[in-house]
Amino acid sequence: MENIVIIGTGPAGLTAAIYCARANLNPLVIEGIQPGGQLTTTTEVENFPGFPEGIDGTTLVMKMREQAERFGTRFQSGEVTTVDFSRRPLSLTLDEGQKIEATVVIVATGARARYLGIASEKTLIGRGVSGCATCDGALYRDVPVAVVGGGDTAMEDALFLTRFASHVTLIHRRHEFRASKIMVDRVVAHPKIEIVWDSVVEEVLDVARQEVTGLRLKNVKTGALSEIKVAGLFVAIGHEPNTKPFKGVLNMNEQGYLLTENTRTQIEGVFAAGDVQDAVYRQAATAAGSGCMAALEAERYLGRIGHG
Ligand code: NDP
């Protein structure tokens, strides 16, 4: 029987672990399918406070992990596949069938950027293909880049990238954006942004060189193919929270993000932190902040029920 189980090893889960371990709550962390979370898919992180020279994403989460271990956090590999939060203790089942019981669970399973799903894109993720303009945009100074998508994220990313890139091509599969009018107006008026309508990315070039040099586009109306030269491709076609095991158990919105109030879910003793409950900010710093909040809430809850 565990006191606190934290699911996820991104900045939210690891910050929660640091706080819980320092409070002598002996947390167990389940590593999840992508140990280290989304930060491991980015290269340089320049906006996490405390690292003025920037830090590699994987190194940053490794440092957080070391810090959690220093105070006695235990780690277990595995993916949580089902949960039973309908009775006490709370119960979790891992992919290999192992069951874990706990008084408190902190869900920090994160989200993943949706990608286009083409082979060349997959090969070049982290080598010019990115799912996060705020994370990686500043690495593309004075070079042309492209953004795919027609929602608010794509608009925000395109505008953000104009601060660095020499030119931003915004590629959308239809002739109408779904983004809010104010964002669309800014994008349309921006001299550095060019919009390519009715088009999809057929191939990211150049897999042989292991870097992005351009894109092969296809006009979905005419079938015409064209190529553009870019040094980076930012895929902004939405995110998916990793909430599958919690469907029907924890309250979530229509996109699957967990609904929380100060990290508390609707079930006593179950907290959520980081991107799994945040569709808006999605930053390492905000994830770490909410991980801290969840740990403090968990500590208070344990105190209230006479544990810990
Ligand atoms: P959305 O789901 O709103 O938009 C996704 C976009 O990607 C759509 O234009 C969609 O095209 C396109 N798309 C989806 N799949 C593919 C594909 N396989 N190939 C090509 N294009 C594809 O996601 P967002 O991340 O933009 O926004 C999510 C939520 O967050 C929204 O509610 C948004 O308003 C909100 N948000 C708000 C912000 C703000 O207010 N500042 C900033 C960022 C997000 P199609 O239109 O044809 O379906």
Side-chain angles (χ1 to χ4, degrees):
M1 169 78 179
E2 296 289 339
N3 210 21
I4 296 195
V5 170
I6 298 167
I7 316 171
T9 42
L14 291 173
T15 305
I18 292 166
Y19 273 77
C20 290
R22 271 193 94 234
N24 277 333
L25 298 173
N26 193 27
L28 173 70
V29 177
I30 311 294
E31 297 194 88
I33 22 170
Q34 188 183 18
Q38 294 176 84
L39 273 185
T40 60
T41 64
T42 183
T43 43
E44 191 83 347
V45 179
E46 290 180 334
N47 54 9
F48 197 84
F51 298 93
E53 314 299 331
I55 181 166
D56 170 76
T58 304
T59 310
L60 178 59
V61 279
M62 286 314 292
K63 280 182 177 287
M64 291 180 187
R65 187 185 166 117
E66 264 174 47
Q67 200 171 347
E69 275 173 334
R70 184 178 148 210
F71 299 110
T73 302
R74 292 161 299 131
F75 288 85
Q76 176 165 347
S77 59
E79 189 192 347
V80 172
T81 51
T82 51
V83 296
D84 184 354
F85 294 161
S86 63
R87 57 196 120 147
R88 311 282 139 169
L90 304 165
S91 158
L92 312 162
T93 307
L94 302 193
D95 44 355
E96 296 199 333
Q98 186 193 347
K99 273 201 191 323
I100 298 175
E101 292 186 328
T103 309
V104 162
V105 171
I106 297 177
V107 180
T109 47
R112 51 183 183 271
R114 248 191 245 136
Y115 284 93
L116 301 168
I118 51 180
S120 52
E121 170 200 57
K122 194 169 178 200
T123 312
L124 294 169
I125 287 175
R127 296 188 170 94
V129 173
S130 169
C132 178
T134 335
C135 318
D136 299 331
L139 307 173
Y140 295 84
R141 282 176 205 272
D142 303 321
V143 291
V145 297
V147 175
V148 183
D152 281 323
T153 303
M155 302 304 122
E156 208 167 66
D157 285 2
L159 290 165
F160 179 74
L161 289 164
T162 59
R163 297 186 203 176
F164 313 103
S166 56
H167 184 79
V168 179
T169 307
L170 178 56
I171 302 154
H172 184 38
R173 62 183 178 184
R174 293 188 294 137
H175 201 101
E176 191 189 351
F177 288 131
R178 72 169 58 229
S180 50
K181 187 174 179 310
I182 185 166
M183 299 291 278
V184 173
D185 288 348
R186 278 186 209 152
V187 162
V188 170
H190 203 290
K192 267 194 186 178
I193 302 177
E194 177 191 352
I195 301 165
V196 177
W197 301 106
D198 299 316
S199 295
V200 292
V201 177
E202 274 251 308
E203 194 181 343
V204 187
L205 310 167
D206 181 344
V207 169
R209 288 174 57 174
Q210 286 292 294
E211 62 175 333
V212 174
T213 59
L215 303 173
R216 180 169 306 124
L217 305 180
K218 182 181 173 186
N219 183 304
V220 290
K221 285 198 167 149
T222 64
L225 296 177
S226 60
E227 279 189 16
I228 60 168
K229 283 200 166 81
V230 290
L233 170 64
F234 290 86
V235 183
I237 61 169
H239 281 77
E240 275 171 65
N242 299 318
T243 48
K244 203 164 151 222
F246 312 105
K247 291 235 153 73
V249 177
L250 296 177
N251 291 342
M252 43 184 87
N253 70 13
E254 60 282 3
Q255 283 118 35
Y257 286 90
L258 299 184
L259 299 177
T260 56
E261 202 184 317
N262 289 334
T263 74
R264 295 187 298 270
T265 70
Q266 92 277 14
I267 295 181
E268 285 252 300
V270 180
F271 304 87
D275 288 13
V276 74
Q277 48 89 64
D278 169 23
V280 179
Y281 301 105
R282 299 196 300 250
Q283 299 300 299
T286 51
S290 69
C292 162
M293 285 165 65
L296 296 176
E297 287 289 334
E299 192 181 347
R300 273 183 212 152
Y301 169 75
L302 285 169
R304 221 170 43 238
I305 63 166
H307 275 250

